[in-house]
Amino acid sequence: MKGNKIAITGIGETAFLRKGEETVMQMMTRASLAAIADAGLTPADIDGHVSNKYVGHPSEEVAHAIGAATRRFTAVADTAGGTATTGDALRLAQLAIEAGLARHVLVPYAIRSTKPGGVYGFHAREPQKAGLEMPAGFFGQPTYFATMANRYAHEFGMTEEELASVSMTYRAWAALTPSAQKRDPMDLETYRQTPMIATPLRVADCCLTTDGGGAYVVSAVEAARDLPHPVISVQGVGIGYNNYPHGVLFTQKPCTFDYPGWDSAAQAYAMAGVDPKDLNLAQVYDGFSISAIVQTEMLGLCDRGEGARFYAAGHAKPGGRMPINTSGGHMSGGYVPGINLLIEAVRQLRGQEGDRQVPDARLCAVAGLGGNNHSTTILARD
Amino acid sequence: MGIPIYPVHLEDPLFQGFYDGLDAGELRITADAETGEWVWYPPEVVPGRPDAVLEWRPVSAEGKAYSFTTVIRSLLPGDHKAEVPYTVILFEPDDAPGVRIAGILVDDDGVEPACDMRLHFRPVEAGDHRIAGFAPVRR
């Protein structure tokens, strides 16, 4: 698969709310129609669909909801979290477009974090967790990632101030982002005032609870040149996998924080023919501060074990040499897994961001984590 | 420190042997009955060997912490405010490299939890069942 063949031609989002009233289908439809309009297209132009196996609504429902007459290509991203929305879906869209099976592929996503059972309900249904972990009180992603953070600190060293700098960095970007959920300034003292969940992770170290949706349209680069926006092309996509099922991933993997991001980044940079030093900015899947630290290392933005100190040095803040999560990420902007990070990357590369615009942004990496899978995507402005 | 109280759902018989071991005062995990290799957590299918049979065997009561976290806000379904804080330990038995067993820190006498700290197993009452506890080894 080669880079510079497809482009993201349309993007759309709903409002990101702590608790919304709309269903997942309503939010996906709203975001999809916004993305299609943004691309200068109509629903009748959408002939390809990539759906997400965790959303629970296949493409036939979305196609009907947006008023598309027919479908020529459909696929389901067989990965989770950010991998599905920011890597896998793009790869499937490129396969379809290059094969001539579709011209404009819609990728929609929405989440109701406030649904009954909460965001951890799927873990409770995993037999190993229900049988061997929950009775020991080991349950919920903040708890899992807290054990990763303690192991990481043991291996590489990490102070409270360094950990906190991740949250503070993303909050500084959110303060410049009108649509972000959490915009109040955060310093070390306000960080410390947020409740501890599982040491060392506080509420401020965790992604937000969000009801919201996002969508984008993928088209061939040649077709994108006839559409309204600057061409934002996909230069590289890499996906790494390991074969640890989610039921054992957070305990039995030799290094529990060694996500398959080294592999995905190597693939993406090779496909794009660029190096980390060529990037102007990055979007990193920040389910938790610790996972953002590790993925920042995996993208090659700093050395292994230096991620927390990279943030503490201010490199990722507004005005820093490598801006990261420029709309506040999942921890301050909104948690619509991966897709709002990809959409923010497109906006930055279009040069539309006003106060938070990264000057001359031309190349952006997007890292997506999905448990036992990980994606790296490199986007570029023509 | 508190103790998490959460019912053991054993609709899946794959895990019964673990709790039978705790009731007998032993830490037991699953091994391939033919090769003797530890296979943990017990999977529905042993990778590459769908005919393999697993059996429960005692594992070393001595080991170390791969990692830990002190839970301040329990995320278990239901109301568990009265049970926190407690410290979860991911325990690695000495004779089963790479195996990790979730339990809680007990008898710590103020010892700060740490990765690689030496621990020994001790079952703990948690409502109507037992869970794995791990106490610091004092030398």
Side-chain angles (χ1 to χ4, degrees):
Chain A
M1 186 171 273
K2 291 185 167 26
N4 203 31
K5 297 291 185 185
I6 57 167
I8 299 175
T9 48
I11 52 175
E13 288 176 339
T14 67
F16 298 160
L17 303 170
R18 173 63 182 78
K19 182 164 179 53
E21 299 299 322
E22 293 198 329
T23 66
V24 164
M25 265 307 293
Q26 285 175 302
M27 292 187 288
M28 277 207 296
T29 305
R30 194 178 293 284
S32 296
L33 291 172
I36 294 164
D38 180 63
L41 300 171
T42 70
D45 295 313
I46 301 298
D47 51 7
H49 297 257
V50 179
S51 58
N52 186 298
K53 67 178 181 179
Y54 289 100
V55 168
H57 293 286
S59 64
E60 66 200 35
E61 293 182 31
V62 175
H64 182 72
I66 64 172
T70 187
R71 292 171 292 151
R72 293 181 62 217
F73 171 81
T74 67
V76 182
D78 190 22
T79 47
T83 312
T85 53
T86 72
D88 213 351
L90 283 168
R91 196 187 251 186
L92 291 165
Q94 180 161 346
L95 286 170
I97 289 168
E98 289 202 283
L101 297 174
R103 293 188 72 241
H104 302 291
V105 178
L106 176 69
V107 181
Y109 185 85
I111 188 169
R112 267 186 76 100
S113 299
T114 56
K115 68 186 174 195
V119 289
Y120 311 127
F122 69 102
H123 284 311
R125 292 188 290 274
E126 288 166 354
Q128 295 96 339
K129 292 195 176 337
L132 295 168
E133 296 180 3
M134 293 174 76
F138 189 47
F139 182 70
Q141 292 217 351
T143 316
Y144 309 144
F145 282 79
T147 62
M148 295 179 204
N150 283 324
R151 187 70 202 183
Y152 178 95
H154 175 75
E155 295 188 13
F156 300 111
M158 179 171 65
T159 66
E160 182 197 22
E161 289 82 358
E162 288 166 351
L163 181 66
S165 68
V166 179
S167 311
M168 290 157 54
T169 296
Y170 299 161
R171 184 61 61 86
W173 284 110
L176 302 173
T177 306
S179 61
Q181 273 183 264
K182 293 274 190 185
R183 302 185 66 202
D184 295 338
M186 183 192 289
D187 58 15
L188 184 59
E189 202 46 47
T190 48
Y191 167 84
R192 285 177 171 146
Q193 287 167 6
T194 68
M196 184 71 81
I197 298 177
T199 60
L201 299 187
R202 298 180 176 277
V203 167
D205 290 296
C206 305
C207 59
L208 300 173
T209 299
T210 301
D211 289 351
Y216 57 88
V217 177
V218 184
S219 315
V221 162
E222 295 75 25
R225 299 193 201 290
D226 298 328
L227 297 176
H229 293 288
V231 176
I232 308 303
S233 62
V234 177
Q235 297 289 318
V237 180
I239 302 181
Y241 304 89
N242 64 55
N243 286 332
Y244 287 87
H246 283 109
V248 307
L249 188 68
F250 300 125
T251 58
Q252 309 303 319
K253 193 171 180 299
C255 174
T256 51
F257 57 83
D258 201 9
Y259 320 124
W262 306 105
D263 187 17
S264 75
Q267 292 174 35
Y269 286 126
M271 180 172 159
V274 300
D275 291 323
K277 64 176 170 17
D278 297 322
L279 299 173
N280 304 114
L281 73 162
Q283 313 293 333
V284 175
Y285 192 92
D286 54 330
F288 300 92
S289 48
I290 180 60
S291 48
I293 287 168
V294 173
Q295 291 172 88
T296 299
E297 297 168 9
M298 290 171 165
L299 280 181
L301 306 181
C302 60
D303 289 339
R304 185 167 198 186
E306 293 298 320
R309 287 179 279 277
F310 175 88
Y311 280 93
H315 296 316
K317 283 183 177 171
R321 65 176 162 86
M322 182 52 65
I324 298 177
N325 287 0
T326 49
S327 58
H330 292 332
M331 288 162 52
S332 282
Y335 179 60
V336 190
I339 202 162
N340 57 324
L341 304 181
L342 189 84
I343 288 170
E344 168 65 6
V346 172
R347 286 197 181 118
Q348 283 281 353
L349 293 170
R350 285 178 178 177
Q352 292 179 332
E353 298 291 43
D355 288 347
R356 71 176 191 282
Q357 178 64 48
V358 173
D360 198 27
R362 306 197 73 82
L363 197 66
C364 179
V366 182
L369 178 60
N372 61 15
N373 46 75
H374 187 276
S375 65
T376 300
T377 294
I378 312 288
L379 301 179
R381 177 174 176 158
D382 250 4
Chain B
M1 299 289 269
I3 294 175
I5 308 291
Y6 191 79
V8 179
H9 293 288
L10 289 176
E11 291 85 356
D12 193 333
L14 271 177
F15 311 117
Q16 180 69 51
F18 182 74
Y19 293 94
D20 290 344
L22 295 179
D23 288 342
E26 284 187 344
L27 200 53
R28 295 177 189 164
I29 63 172
T30 36
D32 186 314
E34 184 181 329
T35 67
E37 289 180 22
W38 301 116
V39 182
W40 187 250
Y41 295 150
E44 185 178 350
V45 175
V46 175
R49 301 186 58 227
D51 296 330
V53 174
L54 297 177
E55 63 182 22
W56 291 89
R57 295 182 181 178
V59 71
S60 172
E62 298 257 339
K64 64 182 181 182
Y66 168 73
S67 194
F68 67 95
T69 182
T70 300
V71 175
I72 309 299
R73 181 189 290 185
S74 172
L75 300 170
L76 288 167
D79 183 357
H80 298 273
K81 291 188 184 71
E83 299 155 21
V84 293
Y86 57 84
T87 296
V88 171
I89 295 285
L90 300 181
F91 175 78
E92 293 184 330
D94 282 343
D95 59 353
V99 161
R100 296 182 191 131
I101 300 166
I104 63 167
L105 184 67
V106 296
D107 291 347
D108 53 297
D109 290 335
V111 175
E112 286 289 317
C115 295
D116 290 347
M117 72 188 299
R118 296 293 304 166
L119 297 161
H120 68 89
F121 161 70
R122 217 202 69 189
V124 177
E125 301 286 341
D128 62 357
H129 60 280
R130 293 183 176 87
I131 61 174
F134 301 102
V137 172
R138 294 178 176 81
R139 304 210 185 274

